[in-house]
Amino acid sequence: MNAILGGGFADPPTQSAHAFRALLEAMARPGRIHEVTGAAPPAPISVAAGVALLTLTDSTTPLHLAGPADSEALRVWIGFHTGAPLVPADEAQFALGHWHDLQPLSRFRIGEPAYPDRSATLIVELDQLESQGARLTGPGIRDEARLSLPEIGAFRSNRALFPLGLDFILTCGSRLAALPRSTIVEDI
Amino acid sequence: MTGQAYNFAYLDEQTKRMIRRALLKALAIPGYQVPFASREMPMPYGWGTGGVQVTAACLTPDDRLKVIDQGADDTTNAVSIRRFFQRTAGVETTEATSEATVIQTRHRIPETPLTEGQILVYQVPIPEPLRFLEPRETETRKMHELEEYGLMHVKLYEDIARHGEIATSYAYPVRVGGRYVMDPSPIPKFDNPKLGGNPAIQLFGAGREARIYALPPYSDVVSLDFEDHPFTPSKTDHECDLCGAGDSYLDEVITDDRGARMFVCSDTDFCASRQAQGHRGRLAPQGDTP
């Protein structure tokens, strides 16, 4: 029972403000890795993914849980702490899961030509998140950034949809980074 | 907490989450106007309610806030918004651009270059750059969707046909990342070159019109122009009469009823710090104290 009631923000206005600043900086500067704290979601969900859920989701944001993330413990935790309705992938505004559990990405909403903001944000759990690997360029990046992405092709075809497309929050332990649809990903 | 029965930074948490989601989408699609459920604020529309909501969603207790109105820290709008956040968020405030972490602005970009870690929040009256050319939202939305921006070039061309040059001097339209045409809010076109390649995050909030948009750092921002009539960021051809700066944006102040006038920096912090460094303009009081 305590596992359900615990693990949320102790001081939501302050903690969510700090968490959002990390998310804002991450989305504004793709590839930068930020440390976040304050959430203790049920295993196997990372602290950073829990922080993103607590900061961004509520009863107005349909959420999709993919693969092992779709556990009884997490469903109840989300129900208590955020109230986000759990939905199939094609109705989701947010989705949470490991990269391979979220596949195929074509299930998620990429927005409409008149309203490209009506697209899903995927919270992707990764086993590692380092400033090395794929080369990132585009808005928010002065020269180039490096980020260890699970693959290249999916992000390249997502970029090709611009201004439509998915946005990604990448989480690993207490660390997070973001990859908006505007970023150009190259395997160099 | 601040003693009053306010949540941190006035807005309730659900409202802040809604604004925060809009801000992230705005950063992901630079220059695109994201609709959001703008709230009534304890100040009238037109007084920066959009900027205030964006600032409230971004502030943390560790921030140092600066608020400017046409470059000045000491005008009514700036003072009241700064007090509002002192009371409701308990954040530190400052007038020094370089010390601020969040700067809310009405119609200017500070002269002092911004840095990484800073957020510039613009108050926007009319976010739709095409609105005065096409009043219907359904149509302007379609024009953005189809990248149908010819009408804007016609407007700039008519300026040239009528005045010999592009007469638009503020709210000068820009194109972001080669995609969306965006209204930079009514900043003078002198400030337009600072929009692109800026290390700070730039967020735009329009309260009455319920739109949020953004420029990520180092964005590609181009002021619209023609090959034979290139964009020129213009300013009054004078030096500041108080600090002597020749490269800052100037306000014209009428000083009597016989046509005497002086030109002063619109950015009060910039002007004051230059005077503190000993720079003197034509009409500056001489001596040690500015």
Side-chain angles (χ1 to χ4, degrees):
Chain A
M1 193 64 190
N2 278 341
I4 296 164
L5 301 182
F9 288 146
D11 176 14
T14 309
Q15 285 179 297
S16 59
H18 283 295
F20 174 67
R21 271 298 267 284
L23 286 163
L24 184 82
E25 285 284 343
M27 196 61 89
R29 304 177 202 278
R32 292 269 180 99
I33 297 174
H34 293 263
E35 196 80 29
V36 290
T37 56
I45 304 306
S46 70
V47 171
V51 165
L53 287 176
L54 292 177
T55 309
L56 297 176
T57 65
D58 54 33
S59 59
T60 65
T61 56
L63 171 69
H64 177 72
L65 300 177
D70 191 14
S71 68
E72 176 66 19
L74 187 65
R75 271 186 258 140
V76 178
W77 189 81
I78 285 168
F80 180 76
H81 288 281
T82 79
L86 301 178
V87 297
D90 58 342
E91 296 168 27
Q93 191 175 346
F94 286 89
L96 168 66
H98 253 91
W99 178 248
H100 47 86
D101 294 322
L102 289 165
Q103 306 301 323
L105 297 184
S106 57
R107 299 180 293 160
F108 296 99
R109 295 193 307 183
I110 56 169
E112 303 153 29
Y115 293 94
D117 56 304
R118 294 180 183 173
S119 61
T121 303
L122 308 191
I123 303 170
V124 185
E125 293 269 51
L126 298 175
D127 295 327
Q128 63 149 347
L129 186 62
E130 304 296 337
S131 298
Q132 59 188 35
R135 185 168 89 125
L136 313 183
T137 50
I141 304 167
R142 189 171 58 181
D143 303 315
E144 63 168 46
R146 299 272 174 178
L147 198 62
S148 55
L149 297 175
E151 66 165 282
I152 307 284
F155 296 103
R156 290 184 63 84
S157 33
N158 186 54
R159 175 66 180 79
L161 298 170
F162 191 87
L164 304 185
L166 306 169
D167 304 308
F168 302 89
I169 296 171
L170 311 169
T171 57
C172 176
S174 61
R175 292 140 50 80
L176 64 81
L179 200 73
R181 66 193 79 177
S182 59
T183 303
I184 298 160
V185 179
E186 289 164 296
D187 184 15
I188 301 178
Chain B
M1 202 56 204
T2 49
Q4 285 92 358
Y6 292 118
N7 189 27
F8 173 72
Y10 186 79
L11 292 173
D12 59 280
E13 288 304 299
Q14 181 150 2
T15 298
K16 281 194 247 173
R17 277 194 296 271
M18 174 270 295
I19 296 171
R20 285 165 177 168
R21 291 192 293 264
L23 284 169
L24 293 187
K25 286 297 175 195
L27 281 168
I29 319 164
Y32 166 75
Q33 303 163 52
V34 182
F36 80 110
S38 181
R39 298 293 196 248
E40 293 230 8
M41 298 302 285
M43 60 192 74
Y45 286 131
W47 283 72
T49 53
V52 165
Q53 291 179 75
V54 170
T55 301
C58 290
L59 274 185
T60 73
D62 305 339
D63 274 313
R64 216 170 301 114
L65 178 69
K66 171 183 165 84
V67 186
I68 51 174
D69 172 4
Q70 302 271 13
D73 291 277
D74 52 3
T75 50
T76 314
N77 197 198
V79 170
S80 59
I81 291 173
R82 192 161 60 231
R83 282 222 197 111
F84 174 76
F85 282 115
Q86 269 173 336
R87 270 182 67 180
T88 59
V91 290
E92 270 186 68
T93 59
T94 180
E95 294 192 1
T97 303
S98 53
E99 287 172 15
T101 53
V102 178
I103 303 173
Q104 181 170 333
T105 177
R106 173 175 175 271
H107 307 184
R108 266 320 300 281
I109 300 176
E111 305 287 352
T112 312
L114 302 176
T115 56
E116 290 201 5
Q118 291 185 308
I119 299 177
L120 186 59
V121 179
Y122 295 76
Q123 302 171 199
V124 182
I126 311 279
E128 178 50 71
L130 305 165
R131 182 61 70 233
F132 290 109
L133 307 172
E134 169 53 64
R136 287 167 295 182
E137 168 67 15
T138 46
E139 289 301 307
T140 52
R141 187 157 287 281
K142 188 132 252 152
M143 290 158 79
H144 283 295
E145 174 185 336
L146 301 175
E147 289 185 72
E148 181 55 70
Y149 295 129
L151 201 55
M152 185 59 91
H153 276 102
V154 171
K155 190 243 177 209
L156 297 175
Y157 170 73
E158 284 180 350
D159 265 13
I160 295 169
R162 208 172 292 162
H163 307 286
E165 60 177 14
I166 298 177
T168 306
S169 58
Y170 65 95
Y172 192 103
V174 296
R175 189 138 194 209
V176 182
R179 181 59 180 82
Y180 286 99
V181 165
M182 184 192 100
D183 181 331
S185 86
I187 58 172
K189 69 175 172 182
F190 173 80
D191 281 342
N192 270 31
K194 298 178 215 160
L195 291 163
N198 200 317
I201 300 174
Q202 300 174 79
L203 307 173
F204 299 76
R208 181 185 48 217
E209 304 287 319
R211 295 289 186 276
I212 282 173
Y213 51 106
L215 291 175
Y218 312 111
S219 284
D220 165 39
V221 180
V222 177
S223 302
L224 299 181
D225 62 0
F226 300 96
E227 272 174 25
D228 52 345
H229 282 86
F231 170 79
T232 45
S234 63
K235 67 180 273 283
T236 319
D237 191 14
H238 270 273
E239 290 181 350
C240 172
D241 284 330
L242 291 179
C243 76
D247 55 355
S248 73
Y249 191 73
L250 301 174
D251 286 339
E252 182 178 358
V253 183
I254 308 293
T255 50
D256 62 21
D257 57 1
R258 275 168 293 170
R261 54 199 181 151
M262 67 189 290
F263 292 92
V264 295
C265 293
S266 106
D267 186 332
T268 52
D269 168 56
F270 177 77
C271 196
S273 26
R274 270 180 60 84
Q275 290 180 66
Q277 288 162 16
H279 296 281
R280 290 290 178 273
R282 186 174 62 96
L283 299 173
Q286 300 301 314
D288 293 338
T289 47

